[in-house]
Amino acid sequence: MPLPRSATSRLALLLTLATNRVDAQEVNGSRARYDMNRATVLFETGAFSPEEMGRFAFLADRGIEDIERLLHLTGPGVKPGPTISFVVREGLSMSRSFRRTIMLPADRVRRESAPYLHETTHVLVPMSQECLWLSEGFASYVQSYVAERIGGYDGYVFSWGGNGNIDRLARRTLNSEPGRATLPYLGSFGAPADLFEKRREVAQPLYVLSHSLVKFMVDGIGLDKVKTLVQAADIAASSEPITGRTIEGWKADWLATLGAPGSEPATGR
């Protein structure tokens, strides 16, 4: 009997890690640095074994290359950008990215639940216009796609089961009060109040619904066009020329597909 995809991916990951040992290039006091091909990874030395540090450094480096290939950010004639720095630190409450630096909580790296692919996507595909639902939904979709089909692990931010389970979670979220309160922010350029203070009550429904909506768009027009929209200088004005529909039209069709109460398809609008 063949293994399910998740078990096959996990086995492939373990075999890859077992045959790719990575050692630190520098240990300076309490910090170890791993200089890879596309990543520089910094650890607090007392928090991990050398094997654990080398394993994650390999994953971070490979994750950059996998995302670059998936999103056609590398290839003949395309000069790779500067390396991305990953800082793994104790005491961080959440993962963050700023320019080409990614901060990851040490406990999540230990548990192999760090959203390193999600944050790497933010770095590699920065937005010209701030649009939270599109940015987070796109990063979540890419993270799950890479983990499921290419390599690495899915560091679930606020959902589980990857792209195959996100629509089920979205339906459940839409039937909750926090989900209904979050829905107006999808397709807009605002963000709910207390987004960072109330992660489970406010951020979780936004991330789940955004992931599902972006998946719906990718299923309809492909990843490259959604990536182009993410990078547009004026997302609202660019949506119809790039994707064939307005943001409002995508949202209405997505809600109708999920069977949300009172929703009607708006294809062509």
Side-chain angles (χ1 to χ4, degrees):
M1 177 182 296
L3 291 171
R5 177 185 294 174
S6 59
T8 303
S9 300
R10 180 68 177 169
L11 178 59
L13 172 61
L14 292 173
L15 290 173
T16 301
L17 293 174
T19 56
N20 288 273
R21 178 181 172 83
V22 178
D23 295 316
Q25 277 68 53
E26 179 182 330
V27 178
N28 184 3
S30 62
R31 177 165 289 190
R33 191 186 82 231
Y34 288 71
D35 292 317
M36 309 295 289
N37 181 40
R38 299 288 292 111
T40 296
V41 190
L42 301 172
F43 297 90
E44 295 170 334
T45 54
F48 297 89
S49 69
E51 291 76 19
E52 289 173 324
M53 290 189 289
R55 181 164 63 244
F56 181 73
F58 171 80
L59 283 176
D61 190 63
R62 193 178 78 170
I64 296 171
E65 295 181 359
D66 289 341
I67 293 170
E68 286 178 332
R69 285 195 298 270
L70 174 66
L71 300 180
H72 303 123
L73 301 173
T74 187
V78 180
K79 183 179 179 181
T83 59
I84 297 175
S85 296
F86 294 79
V87 180
V88 181
R89 183 175 295 172
E90 298 281 8
L92 294 179
S93 61
M94 59 184 290
S95 303
R96 292 180 181 271
S97 57
F98 176 72
R99 293 183 180 171
R100 297 189 76 84
T101 298
I102 295 171
M103 307 289 293
L104 297 171
D107 65 313
R108 295 203 65 176
V109 172
R110 274 192 294 270
R111 292 186 281 111
E112 294 191 351
S113 66
Y116 72 101
L117 294 171
H118 180 105
E119 298 299 339
T120 298
T121 303
H122 282 315
V123 171
L124 293 175
V125 188
M127 301 194 81
S128 298
Q129 179 183 18
E130 192 168 334
C131 184
L132 186 64
W133 71 268
L134 183 57
S135 175
E136 298 302 339
F138 183 76
S140 296
Y141 178 89
V142 171
Q143 169 180 251
S144 293
Y145 187 97
V146 171
E148 291 164 359
R149 297 173 180 267
I150 304 174
Y153 63 78
D154 197 334
Y156 306 122
V157 180
F158 289 112
S159 60
W160 62 93
N163 291 328
N165 192 49
I166 195 62
D167 290 341
R168 184 184 70 84
L169 295 180
R171 290 187 185 94
R172 189 175 71 178
T173 300
L174 287 170
N175 286 324
S176 70
E177 184 176 342
R180 290 188 292 271
T182 298
L183 190 58
Y185 294 98
L186 268 76
S188 75
F189 295 90
D194 299 325
L195 180 69
F196 296 104
E197 293 79 7
K198 298 180 179 179
R199 300 295 283 169
R200 291 295 172 187
E201 300 93 329
V202 178
Q204 181 168 359
L206 178 66
Y207 277 61
V208 168
L209 295 178
S210 298
H211 186 169
S212 178
L213 175 51
V214 168
K215 175 182 175 292
F216 179 75
M217 296 173 70
V218 172
D219 288 346
I221 58 172
L223 190 55
D224 282 342
K225 287 186 178 180
V226 177
K227 181 194 73 174
T228 301
L229 181 64
V230 169
Q231 296 179 300
D234 188 333
I235 290 169
S238 301
S239 179
E240 195 161 12
I242 292 172
T243 73
R245 274 180 261 182
T246 63
I247 295 295
E248 294 80 7
W250 280 109
K251 181 178 176 180
D253 289 349
W254 165 69
L255 287 170
T257 300
L258 291 181
S263 62
E264 294 182 0
T267 303
R269 192 171 69 185

